[in-house]
Amino acid sequence: MIEFKHVYKAYLANVPCLRDVSFRVNEGDFVFVVGPSGAGKTTLFKLMTAYESKNTGEINVLGHNLSSLKKGQIPFLRREIGMVLQNYKLLKNKTVFENIELPLIIRGLSADERIEKTEQIIEKVGLKEYRDQFPDFLSGGEQQRVAIARALVHSPKIVIADEPTGNLDSELSQSIMKLFKDFSKQGVTFLVATHDERLLKTSESRVLRLNKGLVSEDVQ
């Protein structure tokens, strides 16, 4: 599913972001990626999604060796990956329904297919009563649910969540993690970056810990 082999990444000479990083994530795994700011978490995700390229080593994602992936193939790889960000990135001039539907429009689904899939995911994340509301009128937790629904509506094989609970209180954070866990039981692979050690204590999930670009701990 995802495999890093001795990956090294530096943006400036002699200033590595990742150093000799090796790990494997299988289908349906739920993995917390933790570490202080600057540890390399975001760089790791950018390499996985081919927004950045490694200096040395090997990266395989969904059966693709990213070193040999042609530029025209990258959008198709990314279609299999859902992204959830801390700041939501919702379009303020579009309703909840329209924000969630957007990936399906990009993929060229018919109107009937888009409506069916969007309505289904809206109900799963508990936003049915807000479907016609605009983001500015939603709470932080509700906006994050919209972002999650948008990431999941096209049935990705992998979901990458970069600090998805950073702006939420403890109770809402646990609620978001429950949503992720429910979807992971359906075979979706999750990688969740977090600073929140409380989430780790209440979960039995794998923890991949980064420190100064190195994998300092991999507890399964």
Side-chain angles (χ1 to χ4, degrees):
M1 176 63 71
I2 300 170
E3 188 171 23
F4 276 51
K5 295 181 180 178
H6 305 292
V7 171
Y8 179 97
K9 173 66 179 177
Y11 293 102
L12 298 172
N14 301 317
V15 186
C17 298
L18 295 176
R19 296 183 286 164
D20 196 29
V21 170
S22 297
F23 65 89
R24 180 180 177 84
V25 176
N26 296 315
E27 182 178 355
D29 283 357
F30 191 105
V31 183
F32 283 114
V33 181
V34 301
S37 296
K41 302 188 296 297
T42 299
T43 298
L44 194 78
F45 291 158
K46 286 181 177 179
L47 291 175
M48 260 177 227
T49 49
Y51 283 103
E52 298 282 358
S53 56
K54 45 88 182 157
N55 294 107
T56 59
E58 183 178 325
I59 302 173
N60 294 284
V61 179
L62 295 171
H64 301 284
N65 185 320
L66 299 195
S67 295
S68 59
L69 197 65
K70 295 180 180 178
K71 190 173 181 180
Q73 296 174 303
I74 291 174
F76 295 97
L77 170 71
R78 292 177 184 159
R79 287 181 184 181
E80 302 298 330
I81 301 172
M83 294 290 297
V84 182
L85 304 173
Q86 181 177 348
N87 55 1
Y88 318 135
K89 295 288 186 181
L90 303 179
L91 299 176
K92 294 186 177 183
N93 63 337
K94 293 188 179 294
T95 65
V96 166
F97 183 95
E98 291 167 338
N99 266 282
I100 296 170
E101 181 192 28
L102 189 58
L104 303 180
I105 294 174
I106 293 170
R107 296 191 73 165
L109 272 67
S110 69
D112 286 345
E113 288 178 299
R114 296 198 309 266
I115 291 170
E116 181 181 0
K117 286 180 176 291
T118 305
E119 294 287 10
Q120 285 176 351
I121 198 73
I122 282 175
E123 187 157 357
K124 283 183 179 179
V125 300
L127 290 170
K128 192 172 182 180
E129 62 184 294
Y130 302 107
R131 71 181 301 283
D132 298 317
Q133 192 60 271
F134 290 92
D136 281 348
F137 295 94
L138 302 177
S139 69
E142 290 159 355
Q143 289 186 52
Q144 190 59 291
R145 285 175 178 265
V146 177
I148 291 167
R150 184 181 57 191
L152 289 164
V153 69
H154 61 290
S155 302
K157 295 177 181 177
I158 298 169
V159 170
I160 294 173
D162 197 354
E163 299 288 350
T165 62
N167 295 326
L168 306 178
D169 62 31
S170 179
E171 185 175 349
L172 284 173
S173 296
Q174 293 293 343
S175 175
I176 295 301
M177 285 304 111
K178 184 181 184 305
L179 262 179
F180 286 169
K181 289 281 190 176
D182 289 344
F183 280 101
S184 74
K185 292 174 184 175
Q186 300 172 25
V188 182
T189 301
F190 278 83
L191 291 100
V192 181
T194 184
H195 283 103
D196 193 345
E197 294 286 339
R198 294 172 300 178
L199 295 178
L200 311 184
K201 293 176 182 178
T202 58
S203 173
E204 297 180 354
S205 300
R206 178 180 174 187
V207 176
L208 187 70
R209 192 176 297 274
L210 295 176
N211 187 27
K212 296 181 180 179
L214 292 167
V215 175
S216 61
E217 184 179 41
D218 188 355
V219 180
Q220 304 191 39

